Amino acid sequence: MKTCRIRTCSDVMKWFREKWPEHLACDWDNVGLLAGRRQKTVERVYVALDATGEVIGDAIEKQADMLITHHPMIFGSIKKVSDADPVGNRLIRLIQANISYYAGHTSFDIAKGGMADLAAERLGLFTGDTVPLEVTGEQDGEPVGIGKTGMIREPLSVEELAEIVKERFGIPFVTVYGNRPGQKLERIAISPGSGKSMMAAAAEAGADVLITGDMGHHEGLDLAEEGIALIDAGHYGLEHIFVDAVADALEREGLEVFRAPAVYPCRVL
């Protein structure tokens, strides 16, 4: 077994920042160590998309030393920490169990090898000339940002692309807007997570379709009116790839890693 060079929570944070630097995160975000001790000894890490009560319970049961999630459990200001509040209750459980808690979020989204690159790679349709859908910074002299856009190898219908998205990302359903008969898609934009702020970027990029999540009725209609199809794969649908990406990388460092089960959080009945 590979010798682990990571000994503490601080080591894990340093490792994460080297791969997905925190300075690339959006100004509005809350990334970093959100609870726990920096010098906590770490041998077992639990990785999840969200720090739900179920995830925290599983991390405690498995005696994890550290929890890493994509979405930060603490996002806005907190004036009280008590068990009367859902977030406060989860924080108390983490601290009582001596589990340090780190969230990556937009630093992972934006950095090279992070969410944007992984989603484009998972989709597997681009010719190779992808660029960030929205440039937010620079890493190693190259532009980085939210999402990806580029040409695909062979034009597809909306229906064909929707089936590929479901298969490649392992999701049960998608919501589609702008399904015009005979429409063929050549330039794709993909933006994991909530894509409402990416609508203008998709139009500016000349995308025929935007693959994203958290879109509503009016956003779908507005995109369709501009001639842009929408495939809404849900917030979880495209971003759950965070778990395997981080867990695989941590295992290569010699740590024992637990993964939150891949369960789509909603159903269509």
Side-chain angles (χ1 to χ4, degrees):
M1 182 176 179
K2 180 178 177 180
T3 302
C4 183
R5 66 184 177 90
I6 296 175
R7 304 292 184 187
T8 66
C9 174
S10 288
D11 292 337
V12 175
M13 291 191 295
K14 180 181 178 182
W15 169 87
F16 197 100
R17 291 164 180 158
E18 287 173 352
K19 297 176 72 65
W20 307 291
E22 286 181 13
H23 70 83
L24 295 175
C26 296
D27 293 340
W28 47 261
D29 204 3
N30 187 31
V31 302
L33 185 66
L34 304 188
R37 297 184 295 111
R38 290 171 296 173
Q39 295 309 313
K40 157 79 176 177
T41 298
V42 173
E43 295 178 354
R44 294 173 296 275
V45 181
Y46 196 103
V47 183
L49 191 68
D50 297 283
T52 63
E54 186 175 359
V55 160
I56 290 171
D58 198 25
I60 292 171
E61 183 178 333
K62 289 180 167 56
Q63 298 183 316
D65 302 304
M66 190 169 182
L67 170 64
I68 298 178
T69 68
H70 184 237
H71 299 132
M73 181 170 62
I74 303 172
F75 210 79
S77 61
I78 293 181
K79 294 184 178 181
K80 298 178 181 179
V81 177
S82 78
D83 61 1
D85 172 74
V87 173
N89 185 54
R90 281 178 272 165
L91 283 171
I92 289 170
R93 292 174 67 196
L94 282 171
I95 292 169
Q96 285 181 329
N98 194 20
I99 298 175
S100 293
Y101 170 47
Y102 183 92
H105 208 205
T106 55
S107 58
F108 182 88
D109 286 342
I110 291 167
K112 291 195 299 183
M115 191 73 78
D117 287 337
L118 290 169
E121 181 182 340
R122 174 73 69 97
L123 190 60
L125 298 175
F126 291 107
T127 59
D129 58 345
T130 59
V131 296
L133 182 56
E134 180 182 68
V135 175
T136 59
E138 187 177 282
Q139 185 180 7
D140 301 330
E142 298 179 18
V144 291
I146 302 293
K148 287 286 184 179
T149 183
M151 302 297 291
I152 59 175
R153 292 188 293 272
E154 181 180 346
L156 297 168
S157 67
V158 174
E159 294 86 355
E160 289 169 333
L161 180 57
E163 289 301 320
I164 290 171
V165 170
K166 289 193 294 182
E167 187 271 325
R168 301 279 164 86
F169 287 87
I171 52 181
F173 64 88
V174 295
T175 302
V176 176
Y177 283 82
N179 185 10
R180 299 203 308 270
Q183 182 185 18
K184 287 294 185 178
L185 312 171
E186 297 182 349
R187 176 171 284 275
I188 289 178
I190 184 167
S191 182
S194 182
K196 292 181 180 180
S197 64
M198 294 293 106
M199 293 170 61
E204 186 176 344
D208 298 314
V209 59
L210 173 61
I211 305 167
T212 189
D214 285 358
M215 301 293 273
H217 172 77
H218 297 291
E219 289 78 22
L221 293 180
D222 289 346
L223 282 170
E225 187 144 337
E226 292 193 55
I228 303 171
L230 167 67
I231 297 177
D232 187 334
H235 202 121
Y236 176 90
L238 300 179
E239 288 198 324
H240 67 83
I241 59 178
F242 168 89
V243 176
D244 282 340
V246 174
D248 287 348
L250 282 168
E251 285 178 340
R252 288 193 291 270
E253 296 296 325
L255 288 167
E256 185 177 0
V257 182
F258 305 103
R259 307 167 194 235
V263 179
Y264 200 83
C266 64
R267 296 178 292 160
V268 174
L269 300 178

